[in-house]
């Protein structure tokens, strides 16, 4: 029987829907490999969690997973109502019920629908993405798998809350499926983290602010309606696009200035004081202030860090450490230094943060790709980040813009931008990165000077970033190419494999300014952008005239 060999990346397996539909046993192969990666003694009678962002093919995939879980000895599945549950909520439920793991059906911020993308990933017992050793094991099993176990006649009603029990004609019985309210466990968790009384006063009290929340027809919609509208008293029309749709209403559910343009436009006239948008599976969010004032994600996590005791949870637990991914700007580093709190710089991928959290070393972390979170779960959490920002607003009673400007006056400003060149041919991208690495790692590259107009940048350090985990001493290599200039400005090149076809070439540009903190970001960073493109020859190598997205 022909078997396809799907290789999971840092965020699981993402492909076009048609790949899952037309390649024989493609989904079955991956699911069986996940189950086979777990020792039978641990798997038999165990609890697992299943949910997804509601995109096209979600329910079809869940039926396959249910049938295969039953045949592989899993004792209980906990599944979100209608098969829908946000990625942060799944992490919460895994931890709450002490499950051995969970299967998450999402392609995150990628488009949905029959012509769009689908994805599947495995989270382990800590609630976080599987470590590389686990994903490598899944991949190796998938290469040699010859059969899969399935109970094809087993059908589950995803529309009815409650327990469904099945007597199977094998040694693994009984088999139970529990359909649970997708929001309940997560809502209970965040109630114990934030001061809901203070938030309710901010959002619906006498001097309340006006907010605009765009769920972009992703999984966050039910959470937004329950928490913001029903519990915190926001008017119903504060929340838009809150019905999860298989194609996200034709939108690209990526919360940035390009794809959340409708929210940005609605904020411009000053009617709303605060705005936020979420991605497809609810683990990322974009923050906006009045008149559409944009909060860069790097600044966002730094501001939360600087005001962390506005959140009651951290008043109780204390702060163990801060962390950011390597491409993320060094804004949070300055907060950590001032507070004398340990700062960790990790590769991109939430699993690295999870390892630090499990070891009690980390409380708050963030990535430049609109992901921020705390140690309450082991995933980034878009709604948590919004509640964190609102907690800061409730405590300080300033506008979003004023809070940012005060932060820059206190610490200086890291101007930051990212250029995404999407769906670049894999071979072209890899050859470009290999040639670029050979250039920047030459000894002669150090101390080179690059001049653009009246600006001169001298190379102080250049390398291929590698990370030694302080918990288990594991080494992760080839995590991006870094050029660090005198004064701290950085240019970083990295390939991202979260596209369903091709790869995204990303250029990150970060420049610190202590004095000139109110200038236009793209103007400030233009000289570095010119240098970054000149060194890499990206336009010439890829044939692209410009990036797909600038954030």
């Amino acid at each position: 029987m022909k078997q396809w060999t799907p290789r999971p990346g840092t965020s699981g397996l993402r492909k076009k829907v048609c790949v899952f539909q037309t390649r024989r046993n493609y989904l079955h192969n991956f699911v069986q490999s996940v189950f086979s990666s777990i020792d039978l003694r641990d798997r038999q009678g165990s609890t697992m969690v299943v949910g997804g962002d509601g995109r096209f093919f979600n329910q079809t995939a869940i039926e396959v997973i249910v049938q295969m879980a039953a045949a592989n000895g899993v004792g209980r599945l906990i599944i979100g109502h209608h098969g829908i549950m946000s990625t942060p909520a799944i992490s919460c439920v895994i931890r709450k019920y002490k499950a051995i793991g969970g299967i998450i059906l999402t392609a995150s911020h990628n488009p949905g629908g029959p012509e769009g993308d689908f994805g599947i990933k495995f989270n382990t017992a800590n609630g976080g993405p599987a470590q590389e050793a686990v994903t490598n094991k899944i991949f190796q099993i998938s290469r040699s798998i010859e059969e899969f176990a399935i109970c094809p006649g087993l059908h589950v009603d995803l529309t009815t809350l409650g327990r469904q029990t099945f007597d199977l004609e094998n040694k693994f019985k009984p088999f139970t499926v529990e359909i649970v309210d997708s929001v309940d466990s997560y809502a209970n968790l965040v109630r114990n983290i934030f001061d809901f009384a203070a938030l309710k006063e901010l959002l619906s009290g006498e001097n309340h602010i006006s907010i605009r929340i765009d769920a972009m027809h992703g999984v966050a919609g039910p959470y937004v309606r329950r928490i913001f509208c029903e519990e915190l008293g926001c008017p119903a029309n504060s929340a838009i696009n809150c019905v999860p749709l298989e194609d996200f209403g034709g939108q690209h559910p990526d919360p940035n200035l390009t794809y959340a343009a409708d929210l940005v436009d609605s904020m411009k006239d000053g009617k709303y004081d605060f705005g936020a948008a979420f991605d497809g599976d609810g683990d990322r969010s974009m923050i906006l202030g009045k008149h559409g004032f944009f909060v860069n994600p790097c600044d966002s996590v730094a501001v939360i860090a600087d005001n962390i005791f506005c959140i009651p949870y951290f008043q109780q637990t204390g702060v163990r450490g801060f962390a950011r991914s390597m491409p993320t700007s060094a804004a949070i580093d300055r907060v950590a230094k001032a507070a004398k709190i340990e700062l960790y710089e990790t590769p991109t991928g939430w699993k690295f943060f999870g390892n630090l959290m499990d070891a009690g070393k980390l409380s708050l972390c963030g990535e430049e790709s609109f992901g921020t979170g705390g140690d309450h779960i082991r995933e980034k959490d878009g709604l948590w980040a919004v509640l964190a920002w609102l907690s800061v607003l409730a405590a300080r009673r300033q506008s979003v813009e004023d809070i940012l400007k005060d932060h820059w006056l206190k610490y200086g400003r890291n101007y930051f931008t990212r250029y995404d060149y999407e769906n670049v041919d894999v071979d072209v991208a890899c050859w470009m990165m290999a040639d670029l690495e050979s250039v920047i790692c030459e000894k002669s590259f150090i101390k080179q000077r690059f001049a653009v107009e009246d600006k001169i940048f001298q190379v102080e350090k250049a390398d291929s970033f590698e990370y030694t985990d302080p918990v288990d001493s594991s080494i992760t290599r080839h995590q991006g190419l870094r050029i660090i200039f005198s004064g701290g400005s950085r240019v970083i090149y990295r390939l991202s494999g979260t596209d369903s076809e091709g790869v995204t070439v990303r250029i990150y540009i970060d420049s610190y300014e202590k004095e000139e903190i109110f200038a236009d970001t793209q103007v400030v960073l233009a000289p570095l952008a010119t240098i970054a493109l000149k060194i890499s020859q990206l336009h010439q190598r890829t044939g692209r005239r410009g990036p797909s997205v600038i954030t």
Side-chain angles (χ1 to χ4, degrees):
M1 178 168 60
K2 174 67 174 176
Q3 296 290 341
W4 295 91
T5 308
R7 187 181 188 99
T10 57
S11 297
L13 183 67
R14 293 181 187 171
K15 296 291 180 184
K16 288 291 182 186
V17 170
C18 64
V19 172
F20 288 91
Q21 290 177 316
T22 61
R23 292 194 181 180
R24 189 181 177 197
N25 302 321
Y26 191 80
L27 175 65
H28 299 70
N29 184 10
F30 184 83
V31 173
Q32 184 60 58
S33 299
V34 168
F35 288 133
S36 298
S37 72
I38 305 168
D39 189 280
L40 179 60
R41 289 168 296 183
D42 297 325
R43 194 168 75 227
Q44 190 166 354
S46 66
T47 297
M48 290 190 72
V49 182
V50 180
D53 59 18
R55 66 178 58 233
F56 184 83
F57 201 67
N58 191 73
Q59 294 200 4
T60 301
I62 287 177
E63 182 163 274
V64 170
I65 292 165
V66 170
Q67 294 171 349
M68 294 184 68
N72 276 277
V74 174
R76 176 172 69 154
L77 286 183
I78 299 173
I79 305 178
H81 197 205
H82 299 289
I84 292 175
M85 193 182 293
S86 76
T87 294
I90 291 174
S91 182
C92 165
V93 172
I94 290 171
R95 294 167 66 82
K96 176 180 177 179
Y97 290 96
K98 296 180 170 52
I100 62 166
I103 295 177
I104 304 178
L105 304 169
T106 178
S108 187
H109 54 285
N110 293 15
E115 307 302 318
D117 298 341
F118 187 74
I120 178 170
K121 72 172 184 172
F122 176 57
N123 280 27
T124 49
N126 74 340
Q131 297 288 329
E132 192 170 353
V134 176
T135 57
N136 284 342
K137 184 177 181 181
I138 291 169
F139 177 60
Q140 292 305 323
I141 292 170
S142 75
R143 296 184 69 182
S144 58
I145 190 172
E146 294 184 353
E147 61 183 10
F148 54 83
I150 191 167
C151 297
L154 195 157
H155 299 287
V156 169
D157 178 9
L158 298 176
T159 67
T160 304
L161 294 171
R163 179 175 298 180
Q164 302 169 43
T165 303
F166 303 86
D167 288 320
L168 307 178
E169 294 179 2
N170 59 26
K171 59 185 176 181
F172 306 125
K173 61 179 184 179
F175 175 65
T176 301
V177 175
E178 292 181 33
I179 308 301
V180 299
D181 183 290
S182 303
V183 181
D184 276 351
S185 292
Y186 178 84
N188 287 334
L189 178 66
V190 294
R191 280 190 207 101
N192 291 316
I193 293 172
F194 300 100
D195 183 343
F196 267 40
L199 292 174
K200 188 167 186 176
E201 180 63 26
L202 175 75
L203 297 175
S204 57
E206 186 176 350
N207 297 308
H208 67 87
I209 65 171
S210 296
I211 69 171
R212 183 80 159 174
I213 308 290
D214 189 349
M216 299 186 81
H217 288 301
V219 75
Y223 298 81
V224 169
R225 286 212 177 279
R226 175 84 62 86
I227 293 169
F228 288 99
C229 299
E230 294 179 21
E231 296 201 28
L232 299 178
C234 291
N237 60 7
S238 299
I240 60 173
N241 299 324
C242 284
V243 177
L245 298 176
E246 289 188 336
D247 66 349
F248 305 109
Q251 298 184 77
H252 192 144
D254 196 352
N256 58 45
L257 295 173
T258 299
Y259 295 124
D262 288 349
L263 174 66
V264 176
D265 289 342
S266 72
M267 297 285 295
K268 285 180 178 176
D269 65 3
K271 181 180 178 182
Y272 302 103
D273 302 294
F274 179 91
F278 297 95
D279 71 339
D281 66 326
D283 64 356
R284 306 180 195 213
S285 58
M286 175 178 69
I287 306 296
L288 299 173
K290 199 163 189 168
H291 302 294
F293 180 86
F294 173 63
V295 180
N296 187 286
C298 308
D299 284 333
S300 179
V301 68
V303 168
I304 294 171
D306 195 40
N307 295 276
I308 196 161
F309 293 116
C310 294
I311 301 169
Y313 174 84
F314 295 112
Q315 296 171 16
Q316 298 162 11
T317 66
V319 180
R320 302 179 180 93
F322 296 141
R324 62 169 174 84
S325 64
M326 181 273 288
T328 302
S329 89
I332 192 174
D333 301 38
R334 305 181 201 288
V335 179
K337 184 177 180 181
K340 297 184 172 139
I341 292 171
E342 190 76 25
L343 186 284
Y344 300 93
E345 182 182 32
T346 73
T348 297
W350 215 259
K351 59 190 175 185
F352 298 102
F353 296 144
N355 223 25
L356 294 166
M357 289 175 181
D358 287 347
K361 292 179 177 290
L362 179 60
S363 296
L364 172 72
C365 53
E367 295 184 332
E368 48 69 39
S369 54
F370 297 88
T372 302
D375 62 353
H376 60 299
I377 55 172
R378 296 296 181 266
E379 283 279 6
K380 50 182 150 328
D381 190 344
L383 198 140
W384 182 95
V386 171
L387 290 170
W389 256 97
L390 291 171
S391 297
V392 175
L393 293 180
R396 293 184 53 166
R397 283 292 172 172
Q398 289 178 282
S399 70
V400 171
E401 184 172 353
D402 285 345
I403 289 170
L404 253 297
K405 288 181 175 178
D406 281 355
H407 187 87
W408 295 333
L409 286 168
K410 182 178 179 180
Y411 292 104
R413 181 177 178 183
N414 278 81
Y415 286 91
F416 180 87
T417 195
R418 188 183 87 192
Y419 294 168
D420 286 2
Y421 294 79
E422 297 174 322
N423 290 322
V424 175
D425 180 84
V426 175
D427 292 335
V428 169
C430 289
W431 277 113
M432 185 199 77
M433 291 290 285
D435 289 348
L436 179 57
E437 183 173 359
S438 67
V439 168
I440 71 167
C441 290
E442 285 283 341
K443 286 186 179 179
S444 60
F445 189 72
I446 306 300
K447 302 299 183 185
Q448 269 198 38
R449 292 157 65 91
F450 295 88
V452 179
E453 299 172 352
D454 61 340
K455 296 275 189 179
I456 297 175
F457 298 88
Q458 183 170 329
V459 178
E460 188 172 279
K461 179 181 178 181
D463 63 8
S464 176
F465 179 67
E466 67 176 49
Y467 173 69
T468 301
D469 195 303
V471 178
D472 58 22
S473 299
S474 61
I475 299 174
T476 306
R477 297 184 170 88
H478 309 298
Q479 294 299 302
L481 303 178
R482 300 189 297 180
I483 303 172
I484 302 172
F485 299 96
S486 300
S489 294
R490 303 184 306 158
V491 170
I492 295 158
Y493 306 88
R494 182 176 161 269
L495 300 185
S496 173
T498 57
D499 290 337
S500 59
E501 52 188 7
V503 296
T504 295
V505 180
R506 290 191 164 132
I507 301 178
Y508 311 81
I509 303 170
D510 176 18
S511 180
Y512 176 68
E513 295 283 349
K514 178 61 179 172
E515 305 297 336
E516 191 179 343
I517 57 175
F518 298 129
D520 179 85
T521 296
Q522 297 303 327
V523 171
V524 171
L525 297 179
L528 275 172
T530 300
I531 293 168
L533 292 170
K534 179 180 179 181
I535 294 171
S536 65
Q537 296 291 295
L538 187 146
H539 288 174
Q540 296 89 326
R541 297 292 297 263
T542 65
R544 298 295 181 86
R545 294 182 179 179
S548 316
V549 179
I550 299 175
T551 54

